[in-house]
């Protein structure tokens, strides 16, 4: 009888309509125990029961321990992997399975992996063979992907679809549109959309009260962030009092909600803030935060640790992140770890004291970009721009001479190039700015993934040069940009300007796309400009203004009133009737009527010696105190008595 039990159970399960999955699981376990786990059909039933009970970890374990079952339940296995947070495995397995279900699983897994391009393509395929029951879900999911792409900065701002009437029809679409507005920094629009989403959710007939509460909580948490960003402190505090983050069904929403409420509250004690921040349990892998959520939370966590003087702990876990990133790295989490690592070593010091404590760390990690940027900021804050420039130049030179793959891309990354240019501009090094942009353009213009903003800046800078070679490089840059952005007006303007020396027929069509010159100058009064004359510098205008306010103008008719002179400033023998001596400003011996007094030696006449030596007289070389004494004079000065006359012989 025991041998026939598995087959009997299987036949019974096929005919039964049990809804108690715990009971089904219990019967499966009994049957498998009797058959020693050899009945694959019963194992299949057990696997489905585990999925129905949301026991995804146990379901995955059952598949991995049962030989041959994986092929039978590939789709269900991919779903179980997705629910346990093994997203990459789930996406790769779903990609090998045919069917709409597999496409949905892969799209969701790719979305969680922040790979926005593949989910968009999958949903496009699903919409091409659309099922009526999936129409709304596809629309909502596509809206979430669009918002995520904006958060990650992976979408061209010009291609972003504006919020339409269809986005305001349901709370899910309104919420996704609000998230996109937040990603773009349009907080006022996001506030309106979140209010609309909240109202639609409250009045939904398709949701139970518990479901409404679950949906309203993340909307309120997002709304709290928007109000704080808009500076509406009173409204934010009121809303924070209404939010109970502990009611969130998933730990990720609970963590974000608790963080936003804490930031809005007036808790000034860092130790109480530390306790409140860490009150939420650790988020499990299947509820993993997105990078644009985890980075701010990590920043807040380390900030609170530093405020509570947990310096050693901050150094420990930030050093681990830096080591895993293997500097040089421009990964946001590694840069953030480097910044807080430096702050932990500085022990909350700033200025020169912080620099002294961080410099020894730089000797151990000379290619740590985040650490160098932190030091640059400290140098600039203390007014030492020269040291900041030298530090960045040393980093860029080391990266440029490196043979390690990928370090050249880091060397010419727009962030580091912009940092170098801003420091050069602060010091007024205009030529160095042009050279840095030219080097960056020379490197990127042959790359397929060239940053357009950097190439545009380099092209504009090269156009300002008088060199024919620079003009040709600028023309090549804007030609490449025109292929990538054919409708961008800044690119078209650069292309026209860089090809102005060429045949007009080449740029004629592009020039027509730009705003006409007549339209640009239609509000300019040409007659007023001509009458105003050449514009003066600010200094000249200031001097002219001071002259108008301090100086009195000449009276009409030219009759000048003589200026009154005080008697205290006149000589004692001043006679108003006598004409002043025109040579009174010259030394006496240089005046035309000067005659030397009689009785003086001829050699001393004309001011050559005695007490009459003044400006312009003859110079006695022997009186040159700066001249070095001769050897004899030195000896005489040192012996002391050798310059005395010898007494006569026999005289006392």
């Amino acid at each position: 009888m025991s041998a026939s039990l598995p087959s009997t159970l299987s036949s019974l399960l096929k005919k039964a309509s049990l809804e108690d999955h715990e009971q089904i699981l219990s019967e499966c376990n009994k049957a498998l125990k009797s058959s020693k786990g050899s009945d694959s059909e019963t194992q299949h039933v057990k696997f489905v029961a585990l999925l129905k009970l949301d026991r995804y970890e146990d379901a995955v374990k059952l598949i991995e321990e049962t030989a041959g079952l994986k092929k039978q339940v590939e789709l269900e296995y991919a779903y179980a992997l997705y629910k346990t947070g093994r997203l990459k495995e789930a996406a790769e397995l779903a990609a090998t399975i045919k069917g709409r279900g597999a496409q949905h699983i892969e799209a969701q897994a790719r979305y969680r992996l922040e790979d926005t391009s593949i989910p968009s393509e999958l949903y496009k395929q699903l919409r091409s063979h659309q099922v009526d029951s999936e129409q709304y879900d596809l629309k909502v999911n596509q809206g979430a992907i669009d918002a995520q792409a904006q958060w990650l900065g992976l979408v061209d701002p010009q291609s972003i679809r504006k919020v339409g009437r269809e986005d305001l029809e349901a709370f899910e679409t309104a919420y996704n549109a609000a998230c996109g507005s937040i990603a773009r920094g349009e907080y006022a629009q996001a506030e309106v959309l979140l209010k609309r989403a909240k109202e639609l959710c409250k009045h939904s007939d398709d949701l139970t009260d518990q479901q409404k509460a679950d949906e309203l909580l993340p909307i309120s948490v997002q709304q709290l962030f928007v109000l704080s960003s808009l500076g509406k402190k009173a409204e934010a505090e009121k809303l924070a009092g209404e939010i109970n983050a502990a009611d969130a069904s998933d730990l990720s929403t609970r963590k974000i909600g608790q963080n936003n409420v804490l930031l809005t509250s007036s808790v000034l004690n860092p130790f109480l803030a530390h306790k409140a921040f860490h009150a939420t349990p650790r988020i499990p892998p299947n509820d993993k935060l997105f990078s644009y959520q985890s980075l701010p939370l990590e920043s807040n966590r380390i900030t609170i640790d530093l405020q509570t003087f947990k310096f050693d702990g901050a150094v420990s876990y930030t050093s681990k992140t830096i080591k895993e990133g293997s500097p040089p790295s421009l990964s946001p989490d590694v840069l953030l770890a480097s910044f807080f690592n430096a702050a932990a070593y500085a022990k909350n010091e700033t200025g020169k004291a912080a620099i002294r404590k961080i410099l020894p760390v730089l000797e151990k990690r000379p290619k740590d970009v985040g650490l160098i940027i932190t030091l640059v900021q400290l140098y600039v804050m203390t007014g030492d721009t020269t040291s900041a420039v030298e530090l960045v130049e040393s980093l860029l030179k080391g990266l440029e001479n490196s043979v390690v793959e990928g370090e050249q891309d880091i060397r010419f990354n727009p962030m580091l190039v912009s940092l170098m240019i801003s420091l050069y501009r602060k010091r007024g090094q205009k030529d160095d700015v042009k050279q840095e942009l030219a080097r960056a353009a020379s490197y990127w213009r042959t790359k397929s993934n060239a940053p357009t903003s950097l190439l545009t800046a380099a092209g504009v800078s090269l156009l300002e040069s008088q060199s024919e070679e620079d003009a040709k490089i600028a023309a090549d840059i804007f030609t490449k940009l025109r292929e990538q952005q054919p409708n961008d007006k800044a690119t078209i303007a650069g292309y026209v300007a860089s090809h102005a020396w060429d045949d007009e027929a080449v740029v004629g069509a592009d020039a027509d796309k730009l705003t006409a010159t007549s339209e640009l100058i239609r509000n300019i009064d040409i007659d007023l400009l001509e009458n105003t004359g050449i514009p003066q510098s600010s200094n000249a205008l200031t001097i002219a203004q001071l002259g108008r306010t301090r100086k009195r103008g000449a009276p009409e008719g030219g009759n000048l009133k003589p200026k009154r002179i005080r008697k205290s400033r006149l000589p004692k023998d001043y006679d108003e009737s006598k004409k002043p001596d025109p040579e009174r400003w010259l030394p006496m011996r240089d005046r035309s009527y000067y005659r030397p007094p009689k009785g003086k030696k001829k050699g001393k006449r004309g001011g050559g010696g005695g007490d009459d030596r003044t400006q312009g007289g003859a110079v006695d070389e022997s009186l040159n105190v700066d001249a070095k004494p001769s050897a004899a004079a030195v000896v005489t000065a040192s012996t002391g008595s050798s310059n005395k006359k010898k007494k006569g012989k026999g005289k006392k």
Side-chain angles (χ1 to χ4, degrees), residues 349-359 378-379 382-384:
E349 293 281 358
T350 58
K352 295 182 179 179
I355 293 173
R356 286 194 295 270
K357 292 181 178 180
I358 297 173
L359 282 176
L378 290 171
Y379 277 130
T382 56
D384 190 0

Side-chain angles (χ1 to χ4, degrees), residues 260-271:
N260 290 359
V261 171
L262 182 62
L263 291 175
T264 311
S265 66
S266 56
V267 178
L268 300 178
N269 189 321
F271 295 96

Side-chain angles (χ1 to χ4, degrees), residues 238-258:
K238 181 181 177 181
L239 180 60
E242 300 172 359
I243 295 175
N244 186 6
D247 293 340
S249 57
D250 54 285
L251 290 177
S252 59
T253 303
R254 191 185 306 178
K255 186 69 175 179
I256 296 172
Q258 197 160 5

Side-chain angles (χ1 to χ4, degrees), residues 272-285:
L272 292 177
H274 184 276
K275 182 179 179 181
F277 185 86
H278 291 279
T280 305
R282 186 181 296 275
I283 299 174

